[in-house]
Amino acid sequence: MKMEKVFKILGFAGSLRRASYNKALLRAAYELAPEGIELEIFDLEGIPPFNQDLEQHQPERVKEFKAKLREADAILIATPEYNYSIPGVLKNAIDCASRPYGDNVFAQKPVAIMGASPGMIGTARAQYHLRQCFVFLGCFALNQPEVMVSFAQEKFDKDGRVTDQKTRELIRQLLESLVAWTRRLASPR
Ligand SMILES: Cc1cc2nc3c(=O)[nH]c(=O)nc-3n(C[C@H](O)[C@H](O)[C@H](O)COP(=O)(O)O)c2cc1C
């Protein structure tokens, strides 16, 4: 009997907040992942501010983050929007994992994005800034579906569960598209 290899996704949110909507999106993705997809969620807590003087001696938490990114088949980022861009916590983690020069673990990795905000634009501006970073990182961004969850307070319950069915369906589609995108990159027609 041929056993299908488990497809590994590493997910992380650009928020350290305990009741983060974006962490909640990742938990929903974990729940909604189709069979054969394993989503591991990494918390960015403990990743110190990047200092290029120390990049040859990276902290253990950064090494751990990089190792998990390296072994993942694909990456899923849930980003909040801060001041029309991505939060510093997220940018810092990305900077840490892309260094030192020649050891950028994002290179050639398939990546998908989602994001939630109480505002009406649902992190669109932050997501397009994040896509700009992907250009230099050399990762392969999934274009669609775009998961931009606006008015988040109406779509999650008090325990941080996504209750909005359209959002749940979009997250499920995002996971399926990320797997299809990764397989297509591995064996292009
Ligand atoms: C410093 C800061 C800047 C923010 N800027 C924006 C913004 O530009 N657009 C937006 O929709 N929400 C903005 N917000 C509100 C966040 O979307 C909201 O706090 C959200 O819950 C953060 O994501 P999280 O729940 O995953 O922590 C901002 C919040 C903070 C703390």
Side-chain angles (χ1 to χ4, degrees):
M1 195 173 61
K2 191 176 165 227
M3 297 283 282
E4 278 282 325
K5 181 182 163 284
V6 172
F7 187 94
K8 285 189 184 177
I9 302 177
L10 189 80
F12 55 96
S15 174
L16 302 179
R17 204 166 75 85
R18 208 171 319 137
S20 159
Y21 291 123
N22 288 282
K23 285 183 177 177
L25 282 185
L26 282 177
R27 289 195 301 274
Y30 177 88
E31 246 179 72
L32 294 164
E35 209 179 310
I37 301 180
E38 192 181 281
L39 172 66
E40 182 178 357
I41 300 174
F42 188 92
D43 197 312
L44 298 184
E45 185 75 57
I47 299 211
F50 177 74
N51 177 346
Q52 200 178 355
D53 288 340
L54 307 176
E55 69 176 348
Q56 300 296 338
H57 308 280
Q58 292 190 311
E60 282 309 311
R61 188 71 180 145
V62 173
K63 284 187 193 159
E64 199 187 333
F65 183 43
K66 289 180 76 173
K68 288 193 182 290
L69 286 165
R70 204 174 275 119
E71 74 184 30
D73 295 301
I75 298 167
L76 175 61
I77 302 177
T79 185
E81 181 170 286
Y82 276 12
N83 296 314
Y84 284 14
S85 186
I86 60 173
V89 160
L90 176 59
K91 182 63 163 56
N92 180 64
I94 291 173
D95 292 344
C96 289
S98 68
R99 297 295 295 188
Y101 182 77
D103 192 29
N104 161 22
V105 292
F106 289 98
Q108 310 216 349
K109 282 278 184 191
V111 183
I113 313 174
M114 55 185 180
S117 156
M120 63 189 289
I121 313 284
T123 73
R125 293 161 294 220
Q127 291 198 27
Y128 293 132
H129 273 187
L130 186 53
R131 286 182 188 275
Q132 188 177 326
C133 298
F134 290 166
V135 176
F136 190 69
L137 290 166
C139 48
F140 298 132
L142 177 71
N143 285 329
Q144 285 167 8
E146 292 187 298
V147 183
M148 297 168 172
V149 183
S150 55
F151 306 118
Q153 68 284 2
E154 297 169 8
K155 294 173 181 160
F156 295 76
D157 68 16
K158 62 172 178 32
D159 300 318
R161 192 161 186 278
V162 180
T163 49
D164 181 64
Q165 287 309 315
K166 274 196 187 149
T167 303
R168 294 178 72 81
E169 175 55 20
L170 263 180
I171 294 172
R172 197 193 57 71
Q173 281 175 19
L174 184 73
L175 291 169
E176 279 184 354
S177 303
L178 181 59
V179 175
W181 175 230
T182 305
R183 295 200 168 129
R184 192 161 166 194
L185 289 166
S187 41
R189 267 171 285 172

